[in-house]
Amino acid sequence: MAKKPASNSKKTQTAAKPSSLVDTRVIYCGDNLEQLKKLPDECVDLIYIDPPFNSNRNYEVFWGETKEKRAFDDRHASTQAYIDFMRPRCVELHRVLKKTGSFYYHCDWHASHYVKIMLDQIFGENQFQNEIVWKRTSAHADTHGFGHVHDIIFRYSNGEKPTFNVELKEYSQSYLDGYFKYTDEYVDTRGKFRINDLTGSGLRNGETGKTWRGIDPSKIGKGRHWMRPPEELEQLAAEGRIYFPPSGGVPSWKRYVNEIKGQPVDSIWDDIQSLSTFSSAAKEALGYPTQKPLALLDRIIKASSNENDIVLDAFCGCGTALVAAENLGRQWIGIDVSPTACRVMAKRLRDVCKIKEDEKLWQIGRGFVVRDLPWTEAKLRAMPPFEFENWAVIALGGRPNVAKVGDMGIDGRIYPISAIPKKDKGELGFMDVWYPIQVKQKDKVGRPDIDSFEAVMTREDRTKGFFVAFDYSSDAMSEIQAFFKKSGKTIIALTVKDILDEQIAYKLA
Ligand SMILES: C[S@@+](CC[C@H](N)C(=O)[O-])C[C@H]1O[C@@H](n2cnc3c(N)ncnc32)[C@H](O)[C@@H]1O
């Protein structure tokens, strides 16, 4: 059995050094078209992007909506809109990529063919390196056609020879059983062997074109050459590594199963599971359907960058590329238009990578920072309602409802740390103890809003609930008091100003 191939990149213990070219370990909140313009030319080594297909609904795409099946005309119209949206962004990405850098574009069947043409135009057809097929699922019930089970990842270079570290993976058992069938006197140490060509096609004038052991390679077929000079062939023969057919003919090269290093990863990736509930990678899942597995980003980053190189993800969602880059000792820059996504990834970097979100530490080359978050009341007012809800829930340390339709009057839940699990519910018993959060992007929450939240609390039998809005009418406040007197249940009415002033949002970001 072949040995497990050695990884070509180890997890570093030391933090990556800051770059002199550009600020790294920064998450920028904002439209990447604007944010990218702030970066100098040719400053990053590796770019990975995984843009939402339907750009004009990008907020929803982060939070949930992905499965769309529309009429062809509709899809075609939105594909054009998508390409129009992506083109100037890819032009900017091309500009900031170093000449030795690599660019990965993650997409799927909706637009992959159009994306390829656009990228050929921007990077140049001869910079195209790979179309990677990531088989993200095996089960896709579609009775009208073949199930869509894969994503496409395009890989481009940018003019010069890009960094590329070959990753070796284990050979499949069926491959080993099918090819390594022969034994000789070395079987106990080298294992079984297979035979490979000892000659290559084409004539050579040098050593490898010479006659060896009476065989002239130029006379084989249309003319061949030895894979090694005769002197080395003799050495290999002395070590028993050459197979001489008993009936004569061209000798072959013996490859022993215990000595093969592993199979270079090719362009079909079927060994990385998605974050579906039952996969072994499910424990990474933060609850956002567009989140990609760390193993996928690990592979890309290891292949196309070296330690301390700069990795940029300009649509970074939950920050999978940033976490992978940090773990692998690379520097990184993240951009996302969604403030919620920025906070989610900041929390992930703190929790998973154990690095601090701290301006002072960042200035001395440790820690990281999030820039350009819309923290003012005015900006929060202008946020799409969806984002505002998520902002408020996360600011309170709660978990937003991923399904935004049919939320039954609950926008999020707080699971207090102090909750004592119910004995008969096992490990997840604490999930029974939670407080509902209701968010209204309104200036004056009135009594009817409070009435309906009271109904939610009664229905769900909750003792405490949180309400977030810009302000409350006096009727609303009196109703909250009356509800407490009547039922003993508490509604905590918070204003956006309360949250901003106390900087709860910053602390919990
Ligand atoms: C498919 S998700 C990326 C998921 C990510 N690969 C991960 O593993 O978490 C796409 C992200 O692009 C962001 N986005 C959409 N339009 C953007 C824009 N114009 N500028 C920056 N980010 C944008 C969305 O907010 C969303 O978080």
Side-chain angles (χ1 to χ4, degrees), residues 113-125:
H113 306 88
Y114 301 85
V115 168
K116 166 80 168 57
I117 293 168
M118 172 185 73
L119 295 179
D120 279 353
Q121 289 164 349
I122 296 171
F123 284 78
E125 273 175 54

Side-chain angles (χ1 to χ4, degrees), residues 399 415 419-434:
R399 290 182 60 165
Y415 295 92
I420 300 167
K422 285 191 181 160
K423 278 202 183 104
D424 55 335
K425 290 283 169 85
E427 238 180 276
L428 289 179
F430 73 91
M431 296 300 271
D432 277 348
V433 185
W434 55 271

